Amino acid sequence: MESVTEAVILMAGSGSRLAKSGMTLPKPLLPILGRPLISHTIVALEKIGVRTMHAILGANAEILLEGLQPLLPAGMILNPIVNRDWQKQNGISVLCAENKVAAPFFLTMGDHLFDQSIFQMLLNRSDRSLLNLAIDKKIDMIFDRDDAMKVQTKGGRVVRIGKELEDYDAIDTGAFLCSQEIFDHLRRSKRDEDCSLADGVRAMANESKVVAIDIGKAWWQDVDTPAMFEHAAKMLSSLNRNVDLVPGGTPLPTEDQTS
């Protein structure tokens, strides 16, 4: 299958919840197990074939740009895109990449950590004419389910999405493989010149245009609060020991142990 060589990473927000705890660096640059948080995603994307990273910047743009440059692998190009309206919802940040990125492209968040296999699944199992969302059906293992973006699926498609959903069977991981059509739906979803990424996903889901890619046993973690940060560090540390951790730190059996 033809590789995907471009990715859009959203990192325009101020990271206020972590900043309130005394963490002064921009969230993507916070060190986690000795490396900036964003470097884990950069390495994963580089290994999957990404050669151009479009970074959507806003708050702390200059500091972020200075910190991102030395993290790039050889041969990867950084295209910084400043969202002047970064205080608005993240759909506006995605729209900043329109006409600057070639589809299909990966879309993800600068404050998430991912198992590299998630990007591989998106690459191998996607319908590149549609929007493809990596979903997690291990609902009981989600660290902060109240804060998570809930998803309802049917027949391999996303049919509903929202943080307040009461009837859901999966969680949005924040990793996408996108067609150009995402921009059209985000523009149509604007209200008072603002929209969220979830608004665009919802609009495409209403037309049965969002493919649900189940990540299975793969791991990911949003890093939005001090508690999430601590849990993410535990998850990364566990990889070095080949042990998966649930939110309370309880080891899960590996595939070898369950076979």
Side-chain angles (χ1 to χ4, degrees):
M1 180 172 286
E2 187 177 351
S3 62
V4 173
T5 61
E6 300 191 39
V8 174
I9 305 183
L10 307 184
M11 52 183 87
S14 63
S16 58
R17 285 192 278 181
L18 279 173
K20 288 178 182 176
S21 71
M23 297 184 181
T24 56
L25 280 173
K27 199 169 14 171
L29 299 180
L30 287 173
I32 185 164
L33 293 194
R35 290 166 51 193
L37 191 158
I38 190 62
S39 71
H40 297 275
T41 297
I42 292 173
V43 169
L45 288 170
E46 189 267 341
K47 288 182 178 179
I48 208 68
V50 170
R51 295 294 174 263
T52 302
M53 185 179 82
H54 305 273
I56 312 300
L57 310 177
N60 306 309
E62 291 184 6
I63 298 172
L64 264 173
L65 183 56
E66 183 179 353
L68 287 171
Q69 291 284 4
L71 301 178
L72 294 184
M76 181 178 281
I77 299 169
L78 173 64
N79 179 32
I81 302 170
V82 177
N83 175 9
R84 304 295 178 188
D85 294 318
W86 61 265
Q87 299 94 335
K88 294 184 177 182
Q89 298 179 84
N90 60 358
I92 301 302
S93 284
V94 179
L95 281 169
C96 287
E98 188 174 17
N99 300 322
K100 297 178 176 68
V101 60
F105 61 92
F106 289 110
L107 169 64
T108 190
M109 316 296 145
D111 60 355
H112 284 41
L113 289 167
F114 298 98
D115 187 325
Q116 182 191 328
S117 66
I118 293 176
F119 296 114
Q120 187 69 57
M121 291 176 205
L122 284 168
L123 192 65
N124 293 343
R125 294 157 49 187
S126 64
D127 182 331
R128 299 188 180 193
S129 67
L130 302 176
L131 179 63
N132 303 270
L133 169 59
I135 61 162
D136 190 351
K137 292 201 170 187
K138 303 184 299 295
I139 293 173
D140 291 341
M141 293 175 59
I142 300 301
F143 181 72
D144 187 349
R145 201 187 311 175
D146 289 341
D147 193 59
M149 186 66 70
K150 286 83 171 174
V151 173
Q152 185 183 100
T153 68
K154 183 178 181 180
R157 297 293 172 96
V158 172
V159 294
R160 296 184 69 199
I161 183 169
K163 285 195 173 185
E164 307 305 321
L165 281 187
E166 294 184 1
D167 184 11
Y168 61 95
D169 62 337
I171 300 296
D172 169 0
T173 69
F176 301 79
L177 185 66
C178 303
S179 68
Q180 200 72 20
E181 202 170 351
I182 183 61
F183 298 118
D184 297 330
H185 284 78
L186 282 169
R187 280 197 307 273
R188 294 204 294 261
S189 298
K190 280 187 181 181
R191 299 291 182 272
D192 298 322
E193 293 303 307
D194 199 2
C195 65
S196 68
L197 175 55
D199 290 331
V201 176
R202 191 175 297 113
M204 293 191 72
N206 288 340
E207 299 176 12
S208 193
K209 292 182 176 180
V210 184
V211 179
I213 308 289
D214 185 359
I215 67 170
K217 293 184 177 181
W219 64 270
W220 66 285
Q221 179 60 49
D222 181 5
V223 183
D224 225 10
T225 65
M228 288 178 175
F229 184 89
E230 181 180 351
H231 179 60
K234 288 180 180 179
M235 292 178 74
L236 281 178
S237 179
S238 74
L239 292 180
N240 297 330
R241 303 191 306 272
N242 294 318
V243 174
D244 294 324
L245 294 178
V246 297
T250 307
L252 287 178
T254 62
E255 290 188 27
D256 291 340
Q257 291 172 316
T258 57
S259 60

